[in-house]
């Protein structure tokens, strides 16, 4: 896992937080929720390959 991925996740977190707060203060709670959900899905798409690689490595370690 590279450091760039951590910075990307942090950037998405900051952006989603700011957008969510702006939307909540303007009275659009539904849009704020959808923005948070979209940010979570984006980050999950970035993380899932690394989790898959971790499980493959664990399986190869214990299946000698």
């Amino acid at each position: 896992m590279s450091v760039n991925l951590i910075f990307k996740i942090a950037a998405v977190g900051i952006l989603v937080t700011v957008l969510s707060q702006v939307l909540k203060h303007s009275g659009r709670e539904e849009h704020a929720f959808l923005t948070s959900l979209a940010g979570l899905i984006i980050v999950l798409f970035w993380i899932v390959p690394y989790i898959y690689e971790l499980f493959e490595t664990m399986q190869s370690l214990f299946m000698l």
Side-chain angles (χ1 to χ4, degrees), residues 5-6 13 17-19 21 23 26 29-31 38-39 43-44 46 48 53-55 62:
L5 180 65
I6 295 171
T17 302
V18 169
L19 284 174
Q21 290 298 317
L23 288 169
S26 67
E29 286 83 15
E30 303 89 21
H31 294 289
V43 170
L44 282 177
W46 289 340
V48 164
E53 183 181 340
L54 172 69
F55 283 131
F62 292 115

Side-chain angles (χ1 to χ4, degrees), residues 12 37-47:
V12 168
L37 186 62
L40 177 66
I41 290 171
I42 290 170
V43 170
L44 282 177
F45 273 122
W46 289 340
I47 298 256

Side-chain angles (χ1 to χ4, degrees), residues 11-36 38-39 42:
V12 168
I14 292 169
L15 184 65
V16 165
T17 302
V18 169
L19 284 174
S20 180
Q21 290 298 317
V22 168
L23 288 169
K24 281 183 183 178
H25 287 290
S26 67
R28 299 183 179 199
E29 286 83 15
E30 303 89 21
H31 294 289
F33 173 74
L34 290 176
T35 303
S36 300
I42 290 170

Side-chain angles (χ1 to χ4, degrees), residues 1-13 46-47 50:
M1 183 180 343
S2 66
V3 176
N4 291 335
L5 180 65
I6 295 171
F7 287 135
K8 283 183 188 179
I9 293 171
V12 168
W46 289 340
I47 298 256
Y50 292 104

